[in-house]
Coordinates of all heavy atoms in Angstrom, one line a residue:
M157 N -52.9 -86.3 71.6 CA -52.8 -87.7 71.7 C -51.6 -88.1 72.5 O -50.5 -87.6 72.3 CB -52.7 -88.3 70.2 CG -52.4 -89.7 70.2 SD -52.4 -90.5 68.6 CE -51.3 -89.5 67.6
A158 N -51.8 -88.9 73.5 CA -50.8 -89.4 74.4 C -49.9 -90.4 73.6 O -50.4 -91.1 72.8 CB -51.3 -90.0 75.6
T159 N -48.6 -90.4 73.9 CA -47.7 -91.4 73.3 C -47.1 -92.3 74.3 O -47.2 -92.0 75.5 CB -46.6 -90.7 72.5 OG1 -45.8 -89.9 73.4 CG2 -47.2 -89.8 71.4
T160 N -46.6 -93.4 73.9 CA -45.9 -94.3 74.8 C -44.7 -94.8 74.2 O -44.5 -94.7 72.9 CB -46.9 -95.5 75.1 OG1 -46.3 -96.3 76.1 CG2 -47.1 -96.4 73.9
T161 N -43.8 -95.4 74.9 CA -42.5 -95.9 74.4 C -42.7 -97.4 74.2 O -43.2 -98.1 75.1 CB -41.4 -95.6 75.4 OG1 -41.2 -94.2 75.6 CG2 -40.1 -96.2 74.9
V162 N -42.2 -97.9 73.1 CA -42.2 -99.3 72.8 C -40.8 -99.8 72.6 O -40.1 -99.1 71.8 CB -43.1 -99.6 71.6 CG1 -43.0 -101.1 71.2 CG2 -44.5 -99.1 71.7
Q163 N -40.4 -100.8 73.2 CA -39.0 -101.4 73.1 C -39.1 -102.8 72.6 O -39.9 -103.6 73.0 CB -38.3 -101.3 74.4 CG -38.0 -99.9 74.9 CD -37.2 -100.0 76.2 OE1 -36.9 -101.0 76.7 NE2 -36.8 -98.8 76.7
F164 N -38.2 -103.1 71.6 CA -38.1 -104.5 71.2 C -36.6 -104.7 70.7 O -35.9 -103.8 70.4 CB -39.1 -104.9 70.1 CG -39.0 -104.0 68.9 CD1 -38.2 -104.3 67.8 CD2 -39.7 -102.8 68.8 CE1 -38.2 -103.5 66.7 CE2 -39.7 -102.0 67.7 CZ -38.9 -102.3 66.6
R165 N -36.2 -106.0 70.7 CA -34.9 -106.3 70.4 C -34.8 -106.7 68.9 O -35.8 -107.3 68.3 CB -34.4 -107.5 71.2 CG -34.3 -107.2 72.7 CD -33.5 -108.3 73.4 NE -33.4 -107.9 74.8 CZ -32.5 -107.0 75.3 NH1 -31.7 -106.4 74.5 NH2 -32.5 -106.8 76.6
M166 N -33.7 -106.3 68.3 CA -33.5 -106.6 66.8 C -32.0 -106.8 66.6 O -31.2 -106.1 67.3 CB -34.0 -105.4 66.0 CG -33.8 -105.5 64.5 SD -34.4 -104.0 63.7 CE -36.1 -104.0 64.0
D167 N -31.7 -107.6 65.7 CA -30.3 -107.8 65.3 C -29.7 -106.4 64.9 O -30.3 -105.7 64.2 CB -30.2 -108.8 64.1 CG -28.8 -109.0 63.6 OD1 -28.1 -109.8 64.3 OD2 -28.4 -108.3 62.6
N168 N -28.5 -106.1 65.4 CA -27.9 -104.8 65.2 C -27.7 -104.6 63.7 O -27.9 -103.4 63.2 CB -26.6 -104.7 65.9 CG -26.0 -103.3 65.9 OD1 -26.7 -102.4 66.3 ND2 -24.8 -103.2 65.4
D169 N -27.2 -105.6 62.9 CA -27.0 -105.4 61.5 C -28.3 -105.0 60.8 O -28.3 -104.2 59.9 CB -26.3 -106.6 60.9 CG -24.9 -106.8 61.3 OD1 -24.2 -105.8 61.7 OD2 -24.4 -107.9 61.2
L170 N -29.3 -105.8 61.1 CA -30.6 -105.5 60.5 C -31.1 -104.1 60.8 O -31.6 -103.4 60.0 CB -31.7 -106.5 61.0 CG -33.1 -106.3 60.6 CD1 -33.2 -106.5 59.0 CD2 -34.0 -107.4 61.2
K171 N -30.9 -103.6 62.1 CA -31.3 -102.3 62.5 C -30.5 -101.2 61.6 O -31.1 -100.3 61.2 CB -31.1 -102.1 64.0 CG -31.4 -100.7 64.4 CD -31.1 -100.5 65.9 CE -31.5 -99.1 66.4 NZ -30.3 -98.2 66.4
Q172 N -29.3 -101.4 61.5 CA -28.5 -100.5 60.7 C -28.9 -100.4 59.2 O -29.0 -99.4 58.6 CB -27.0 -100.8 60.8 CG -26.4 -100.6 62.2 CD -24.9 -101.0 62.3 OE1 -24.3 -101.5 61.4 NE2 -24.4 -100.8 63.5
Q173 N -29.2 -101.6 58.7 CA -29.7 -101.7 57.3 C -31.1 -100.9 57.2 O -31.3 -100.1 56.2 CB -29.9 -103.1 56.8 CG -28.6 -103.8 56.6 CD -28.8 -105.3 56.3 OE1 -29.7 -105.7 55.6 NE2 -28.0 -106.2 56.9
L174 N -31.9 -101.2 58.1 CA -33.2 -100.5 58.1 C -33.1 -99.0 58.2 O -33.7 -98.2 57.5 CB -34.1 -101.0 59.3 CG -35.0 -102.2 59.1 CD1 -35.6 -102.5 60.5 CD2 -36.0 -101.9 58.1
E175 N -32.3 -98.5 59.2 CA -32.1 -97.1 59.3 C -31.5 -96.5 58.1 O -31.9 -95.4 57.7 CB -31.1 -96.8 60.5 CG -31.8 -97.1 61.9 CD -30.9 -96.9 63.1 OE1 -29.7 -97.2 62.9 OE2 -31.4 -96.6 64.1
R176 N -30.6 -97.1 57.4 CA -30.0 -96.6 56.2 C -31.1 -96.5 55.1 O -31.2 -95.4 54.4 CB -28.9 -97.5 55.7 CG -28.0 -97.0 54.7 CD -26.7 -97.8 54.4 NE -26.8 -99.2 54.7 CZ -26.2 -99.8 55.7 NH1 -25.5 -99.1 56.6 NH2 -26.3 -101.1 55.9
I177 N -32.0 -97.5 55.0 CA -33.0 -97.4 54.0 C -34.1 -96.4 54.3 O -34.5 -95.6 53.5 CB -33.7 -98.8 53.8 CG1 -32.7 -99.8 53.2 CG2 -35.0 -98.7 53.0 CD1 -33.1 -101.3 53.3
F178 N -34.5 -96.3 55.6 CA -35.4 -95.3 56.0 C -34.9 -93.9 55.8 O -35.6 -93.0 55.4 CB -35.8 -95.5 57.5 CG -36.6 -96.8 57.7 CD1 -36.6 -97.4 59.0 CD2 -37.4 -97.3 56.8 CE1 -37.4 -98.5 59.3 CE2 -38.2 -98.4 57.0 CZ -38.2 -99.0 58.3
Q179 N -33.6 -93.7 56.1 CA -33.0 -92.4 55.9 C -33.1 -92.0 54.4 O -33.4 -90.9 54.1 CB -31.5 -92.4 56.3 CG -30.9 -91.1 56.2 CD -29.4 -91.1 56.7 OE1 -28.8 -92.2 56.8 NE2 -28.9 -90.0 57.1
E180 N -32.8 -93.0 53.5 CA -33.0 -92.7 52.0 C -34.4 -92.3 51.7 O -34.6 -91.6 50.7 CB -32.5 -93.9 51.2 CG -31.1 -94.2 51.3 CD -30.7 -95.5 50.7 OE1 -31.6 -96.2 50.0 OE2 -29.5 -95.9 50.8
M181 N -35.4 -92.8 52.4 CA -36.8 -92.5 52.2 C -37.2 -91.2 52.9 O -38.4 -90.8 52.8 CB -37.7 -93.6 52.7 CG -37.5 -94.9 52.0 SD -38.5 -96.2 52.8 CE -38.5 -97.4 51.6
G182 N -36.3 -90.6 53.7 CA -36.6 -89.4 54.5 C -37.4 -89.7 55.8 O -38.1 -88.9 56.3
L183 N -37.2 -91.0 56.3 CA -37.9 -91.4 57.5 C -36.9 -91.8 58.6 O -35.8 -92.1 58.3 CB -38.8 -92.7 57.2 CG -39.8 -92.6 56.1 CD1 -40.4 -94.0 55.8 CD2 -40.9 -91.6 56.5
N184 N -37.4 -91.7 59.8 CA -36.6 -92.3 60.9 C -37.3 -93.5 61.3 O -38.4 -93.9 60.9 CB -36.4 -91.3 62.0 CG -37.7 -90.8 62.6 OD1 -38.7 -91.5 62.7 ND2 -37.7 -89.6 63.1
M185 N -36.7 -94.3 62.2 CA -37.2 -95.6 62.7 C -38.6 -95.4 63.3 O -39.5 -96.2 63.1 CB -36.2 -96.2 63.7 CG -36.6 -97.6 64.1 SD -36.5 -98.9 62.8 CE -34.7 -99.2 62.9
T186 N -38.8 -94.4 64.1 CA -40.0 -94.1 64.8 C -41.1 -93.9 63.8 O -42.2 -94.5 63.9 CB -39.9 -92.9 65.8 OG1 -38.9 -93.2 66.8 CG2 -41.3 -92.6 66.5
T187 N -40.9 -93.0 62.9 CA -41.9 -92.7 61.8 C -42.3 -94.0 61.0 O -43.4 -94.3 60.8 CB -41.5 -91.6 60.9 OG1 -41.2 -90.5 61.7 CG2 -42.5 -91.3 59.9
A188 N -41.3 -94.7 60.6 CA -41.5 -96.0 59.8 C -42.3 -97.0 60.6 O -43.2 -97.6 60.1 CB -40.1 -96.5 59.4
M189 N -41.9 -97.2 61.9 CA -42.6 -98.2 62.7 C -44.1 -97.7 62.9 O -45.0 -98.5 63.0 CB -41.9 -98.4 64.0 CG -40.6 -99.1 63.9 SD -40.7 -100.8 63.1 CE -39.9 -100.5 61.6
N190 N -44.3 -96.4 63.1 CA -45.7 -95.9 63.2 C -46.5 -96.1 61.9 O -47.7 -96.5 62.0 CB -45.7 -94.4 63.6 CG -45.5 -94.3 65.1 OD1 -46.4 -94.7 65.9 ND2 -44.5 -93.6 65.5
L191 N -45.8 -95.9 60.8 CA -46.5 -96.2 59.5 C -46.9 -97.7 59.4 O -48.0 -98.0 59.0 CB -45.6 -95.8 58.3 CG -45.4 -94.4 58.0 CD1 -44.3 -94.2 57.0 CD2 -46.7 -93.8 57.5
F192 N -46.0 -98.5 59.8 CA -46.3 -100.0 59.8 C -47.5 -100.3 60.8 O -48.4 -101.0 60.4 CB -45.1 -100.8 60.2 CG -45.3 -102.2 60.4 CD1 -45.5 -103.1 59.3 CD2 -45.3 -102.8 61.6 CE1 -45.7 -104.4 59.4 CE2 -45.6 -104.2 61.8 CZ -45.8 -105.0 60.7
A193 N -47.4 -99.7 62.0 CA -48.5 -100.0 63.0 C -49.8 -99.5 62.4 O -50.9 -100.2 62.6 CB -48.1 -99.3 64.3
H194 N -49.9 -98.3 61.8 CA -51.1 -97.8 61.3 C -51.7 -98.7 60.2 O -52.9 -99.0 60.1 CB -51.0 -96.4 60.8 CG -51.0 -95.3 61.9 ND1 -52.1 -95.0 62.5 CD2 -50.0 -94.6 62.4 CE1 -51.8 -94.1 63.4 NE2 -50.5 -93.8 63.4
A195 N -50.8 -99.2 59.3 CA -51.2 -100.1 58.2 C -51.8 -101.4 58.8 O -52.8 -101.9 58.3 CB -50.0 -100.4 57.3
V196 N -51.2 -101.9 59.8 CA -51.7 -103.2 60.4 C -53.1 -102.9 61.0 O -54.0 -103.7 60.8 CB -50.8 -103.7 61.5 CG1 -51.4 -104.8 62.3 CG2 -49.4 -104.2 60.9
V197 N -53.3 -101.8 61.7 CA -54.5 -101.5 62.3 C -55.6 -101.2 61.2 O -56.7 -101.7 61.3 CB -54.4 -100.3 63.3 CG1 -55.8 -99.8 63.7 CG2 -53.6 -100.7 64.5
N198 N -55.2 -100.4 60.2 CA -56.2 -100.1 59.2 C -56.6 -101.3 58.3 O -57.8 -101.4 57.9 CB -55.6 -99.0 58.2 CG -55.5 -97.6 58.9 OD1 -56.2 -97.4 59.9 ND2 -54.6 -96.8 58.5
Q199 N -55.7 -102.2 58.1 CA -56.0 -103.3 57.2 C -56.4 -104.6 58.0 O -56.9 -105.5 57.5 CB -54.8 -103.7 56.4 CG -54.4 -102.6 55.4 CD -53.2 -102.9 54.5 OE1 -52.9 -104.1 54.3 NE2 -52.5 -101.9 54.1
G200 N -56.2 -104.6 59.3 CA -56.5 -105.7 60.2 C -55.6 -106.9 59.9 O -56.0 -108.0 60.1
R201 N -54.4 -106.7 59.3 CA -53.5 -107.8 59.0 C -52.1 -107.1 58.8 O -52.0 -105.9 58.7 CB -54.0 -108.5 57.8 CG -53.9 -107.6 56.5 CD -54.4 -108.4 55.3 NE -54.1 -107.7 54.0 CZ -53.0 -107.7 53.4 NH1 -51.9 -108.4 53.8 NH2 -52.8 -107.0 52.3
I202 N -51.1 -108.0 58.7 CA -49.8 -107.5 58.3 C -49.9 -107.2 56.8 O -50.4 -107.9 56.0 CB -48.7 -108.6 58.6 CG1 -48.6 -108.9 60.1 CG2 -47.4 -108.2 58.0 CD1 -47.7 -109.9 60.5
P203 N -49.5 -106.0 56.5 CA -49.7 -105.5 55.1 C -48.8 -106.0 54.0 O -48.6 -105.4 53.0 CB -49.5 -104.0 55.3 CG -48.5 -103.8 56.4 CD -48.8 -105.0 57.3
F204 N -48.3 -107.2 54.2 CA -47.6 -107.9 53.1 C -47.6 -109.4 53.4 O -47.9 -109.8 54.5 CB -46.1 -107.4 53.1 CG -45.4 -107.3 54.4 CD1 -44.8 -108.4 54.9 CD2 -45.4 -106.1 55.1 CE1 -44.2 -108.4 56.2 CE2 -44.7 -106.0 56.3 CZ -44.1 -107.2 56.9
D205 N -47.3 -110.2 52.4 CA -47.3 -111.6 52.5 C -46.1 -112.1 53.2 O -45.0 -111.5 52.9 CB -47.4 -112.3 51.2 CG -48.8 -112.1 50.5 OD1 -49.8 -111.9 51.3 OD2 -48.9 -112.2 49.3
I206 N -46.2 -113.0 54.1 CA -45.0 -113.6 54.8 C -44.9 -115.0 54.3 O -45.9 -115.8 54.5 CB -45.2 -113.5 56.3 CG1 -45.3 -112.1 56.8 CG2 -44.0 -114.2 57.0 CD1 -45.6 -111.9 58.2
T207 N -43.9 -115.4 53.6 CA -43.7 -116.7 53.1 C -42.3 -117.2 53.4 O -41.4 -116.4 53.6 CB -43.9 -116.8 51.6 OG1 -43.0 -115.9 51.0 CG2 -45.3 -116.3 51.2
A208 N -42.2 -118.5 53.5 CA -40.8 -119.1 53.7 C -40.2 -119.2 52.4 O -40.8 -119.4 51.3 CB -41.0 -120.5 54.3
P209 N -38.9 -119.0 52.3 CA -38.2 -119.1 51.0 C -38.3 -120.5 50.5 O -38.3 -121.5 51.2 CB -36.7 -118.8 51.4 CG -36.6 -118.8 52.8 CD -38.0 -118.7 53.4
K210 N -38.4 -120.6 49.2 CA -38.5 -121.9 48.5 C -37.2 -122.6 48.6 O -36.1 -122.0 48.6 CB -38.8 -121.8 47.0 CG -40.3 -121.4 46.8 CD -40.5 -121.4 45.3 CE -42.0 -121.3 45.0 NZ -42.2 -121.4 43.5
S211 N -37.3 -124.0 48.7 CA -36.0 -124.8 48.7 C -35.5 -124.8 47.3 O -36.3 -124.6 46.3 CB -36.3 -126.2 49.2 OG -37.1 -126.9 48.3
Q212 N -34.3 -125.2 47.1 CA -33.7 -125.4 45.8 C -34.5 -126.4 45.0 O -34.8 -126.3 43.8 CB -32.3 -125.8 45.8 CG -31.6 -125.8 44.5 CD -31.6 -124.5 43.8 OE1 -31.3 -123.5 44.3 NE2 -32.1 -124.5 42.5
L213 N -35.0 -127.5 45.6 CA -35.8 -128.5 45.0 C -37.1 -127.9 44.4 O -37.5 -128.2 43.3 CB -36.1 -129.7 45.9 CG -36.9 -130.8 45.3 CD1 -36.3 -131.4 44.1 CD2 -37.2 -131.8 46.4
E214 N -37.7 -127.1 45.2 CA -39.0 -126.5 44.8 C -38.7 -125.6 43.6 O -39.5 -125.5 42.6 CB -39.6 -125.7 45.9 CG -40.2 -126.6 47.0 CD -40.7 -125.8 48.2 OE1 -39.9 -124.9 48.7 OE2 -41.8 -126.1 48.7
N215 N -37.6 -124.8 43.6 CA -37.3 -123.9 42.5 C -37.0 -124.8 41.3 O -37.4 -124.4 40.2 CB -36.1 -123.1 42.8 CG -36.4 -122.0 43.8 OD1 -37.5 -121.5 43.9 ND2 -35.4 -121.6 44.6
D216 N -36.3 -125.9 41.4 CA -36.0 -126.7 40.3 C -37.3 -127.3 39.7 O -37.4 -127.4 38.5 CB -35.0 -127.8 40.7 CG -33.6 -127.3 41.0 OD1 -33.3 -126.2 40.6 OD2 -32.8 -128.1 41.6
L217 N -38.2 -127.8 40.6 CA -39.4 -128.3 40.1 C -40.3 -127.3 39.3 O -40.9 -127.6 38.3 CB -40.3 -128.9 41.2 CG -39.8 -130.2 41.8 CD1 -40.5 -130.6 43.1 CD2 -39.9 -131.3 40.8
D218 N -40.3 -126.0 39.8 CA -41.0 -125.0 39.1 C -40.4 -124.8 37.7 O -41.1 -124.5 36.8 CB -40.9 -123.6 39.9 CG -41.7 -123.6 41.2 OD1 -42.6 -124.5 41.3 OD2 -41.5 -122.7 42.0
D219 N -39.0 -124.8 37.6 CA -38.4 -124.7 36.3 C -38.8 -125.8 35.4 O -39.0 -125.5 34.2 CB -36.8 -124.6 36.5 CG -36.3 -123.3 37.1 OD1 -37.1 -122.3 37.1 OD2 -35.2 -123.3 37.5
V220 N -38.8 -127.0 35.9 CA -39.1 -128.1 35.0 C -40.6 -128.0 34.6 O -40.9 -128.1 33.4 CB -38.9 -129.5 35.8 CG1 -39.6 -130.6 35.0 CG2 -37.5 -129.7 36.0
R221 N -41.5 -127.7 35.4 CA -42.9 -127.5 35.1 C -43.1 -126.4 34.1 O -44.0 -126.5 33.2 CB -43.7 -127.2 36.3 CG -43.9 -128.4 37.2 CD -44.7 -128.1 38.5 NE -44.7 -129.3 39.3 CZ -44.4 -129.3 40.6 NH1 -43.9 -128.2 41.2 NH2 -44.4 -130.4 41.3
A222 N -42.3 -125.3 34.1 CA -42.4 -124.2 33.2 C -41.5 -124.4 32.0 O -41.5 -123.6 31.1 CB -42.0 -122.9 33.9
G223 N -40.8 -125.5 31.9 CA -39.9 -125.8 30.7 C -38.7 -124.9 30.7 O -38.1 -124.7 29.6
R224 N -38.3 -124.4 31.8 CA -37.1 -123.5 31.8 C -35.8 -124.3 32.1 O -35.9 -125.3 32.9 CB -37.2 -122.4 32.9 CG -38.3 -121.4 32.6 CD -38.2 -120.3 33.7 NE -38.5 -120.8 35.0 CZ -39.7 -120.6 35.6 NH1 -40.7 -120.1 35.0 NH2 -39.9 -121.1 36.8
H225 N -34.7 -123.9 31.6 CA -33.4 -124.5 31.9 C -33.3 -126.0 31.6 O -32.6 -126.7 32.3 CB -33.0 -124.2 33.3 CG -33.2 -122.7 33.7 ND1 -32.5 -121.7 33.2 CD2 -34.0 -122.2 34.6 CE1 -32.9 -120.6 33.7 NE2 -33.8 -120.8 34.6
L226 N -34.0 -126.4 30.6 CA -33.9 -127.8 30.2 C -32.9 -128.0 29.2 O -32.7 -127.2 28.3 CB -35.3 -128.3 29.8 CG -36.5 -128.2 30.8 CD1 -37.8 -128.7 30.1 CD2 -36.2 -129.0 32.0
S227 N -32.3 -129.2 29.2 CA -31.3 -129.5 28.1 C -31.9 -130.7 27.3 O -32.9 -131.4 27.8 CB -30.0 -129.9 28.7 OG -30.1 -131.0 29.6
R228 N -31.3 -131.0 26.2 CA -31.8 -132.1 25.4 C -31.5 -133.4 26.1 O -30.7 -133.5 26.9 CB -31.2 -132.1 24.0 CG -29.7 -132.2 24.0 CD -29.2 -132.1 22.5 NE -27.8 -132.2 22.5 CZ -27.1 -133.4 22.5 NH1 -27.7 -134.5 22.4 NH2 -25.8 -133.4 22.4
A229 N -32.3 -134.4 25.7 CA -32.1 -135.8 26.3 C -30.8 -136.4 25.8 O -30.4 -136.2 24.6 CB -33.3 -136.7 26.0
Y230 N -30.1 -137.1 26.6 CA -28.9 -137.8 26.2 C -29.1 -139.3 26.3 O -29.8 -139.8 27.1 CB -27.7 -137.4 27.1 CG -27.3 -136.0 27.0 CD1 -27.8 -135.0 27.7 CD2 -26.3 -135.7 26.0 CE1 -27.4 -133.7 27.6 CE2 -25.9 -134.4 25.8 CZ -26.5 -133.4 26.6 OH -26.1 -132.1 26.4
T231 N -28.5 -140.0 25.4 CA -28.5 -141.5 25.4 C -27.1 -142.0 25.3 O -26.2 -141.2 25.1 CB -29.3 -142.0 24.2 OG1 -28.6 -141.7 23.0 CG2 -30.7 -141.5 24.1
D232 N -26.9 -143.3 25.5 CA -25.6 -143.8 25.4 C -25.2 -144.2 24.0 O -24.2 -144.7 23.7 CB -25.4 -145.0 26.4 CG -26.4 -146.1 26.2 OD1 -27.3 -145.9 25.4 OD2 -26.3 -147.1 26.9
R233 N -26.2 -144.0 23.0 CA -25.9 -144.4 21.6 C -25.5 -143.1 20.9 O -26.1 -142.1 21.1 CB -27.2 -144.9 21.0 CG -27.6 -146.3 21.6 CD -28.8 -146.8 20.9 NE -29.9 -145.8 21.1 CZ -31.1 -146.0 20.7 NH1 -31.4 -147.1 19.9 NH2 -32.1 -145.2 20.9
P234 N -24.6 -143.2 20.0 CA -24.3 -142.1 19.1 C -25.5 -141.8 18.2 O -26.3 -142.7 17.9 CB -23.1 -142.5 18.3 CG -22.6 -143.7 19.0 CD -23.7 -144.3 19.8
S235 N -25.7 -140.6 17.9 CA -26.9 -140.1 17.1 C -27.0 -140.8 15.7 O -28.0 -141.0 15.2 CB -26.9 -138.6 16.9 OG -25.8 -138.2 16.2
S236 N -25.8 -141.3 15.2 CA -25.9 -142.0 13.9 C -26.5 -143.4 13.9 O -26.8 -144.0 12.9 CB -24.5 -142.0 13.3 OG -23.6 -142.8 14.1
Q237 N -26.6 -144.0 15.1 CA -27.1 -145.3 15.3 C -28.6 -145.3 15.6 O -29.2 -146.3 15.8 CB -26.4 -146.0 16.4 CG -24.9 -146.3 16.1 CD -24.2 -147.1 17.2 OE1 -24.8 -147.4 18.2 NE2 -22.9 -147.3 17.0
K238 N -29.2 -144.2 15.6 CA -30.7 -144.1 16.0 C -31.5 -144.5 14.8 O -31.3 -144.4 13.7 CB -31.0 -142.7 16.4 CG -30.5 -142.4 17.8 CD -30.9 -141.1 18.3 CE -30.3 -140.8 19.6 NZ -30.7 -139.5 20.1

């Protein structure tokens, strides 16, 4: 099988982080990128979901809907006057 060289630009810090993680997995950058390419071709899609991070407002709304992190209601009257 013939091979070719592929070049692309990447933030240097990101590259170093990737290389460190791949090394822990026993992979080098070339092998990892080939695994990714094969997964894309085999699945016909990017093999993971790509989503934008939620805003703080969206996170807060999720918490309210789920009943998380809520405090009791406050009034301006002391509880003895209710």
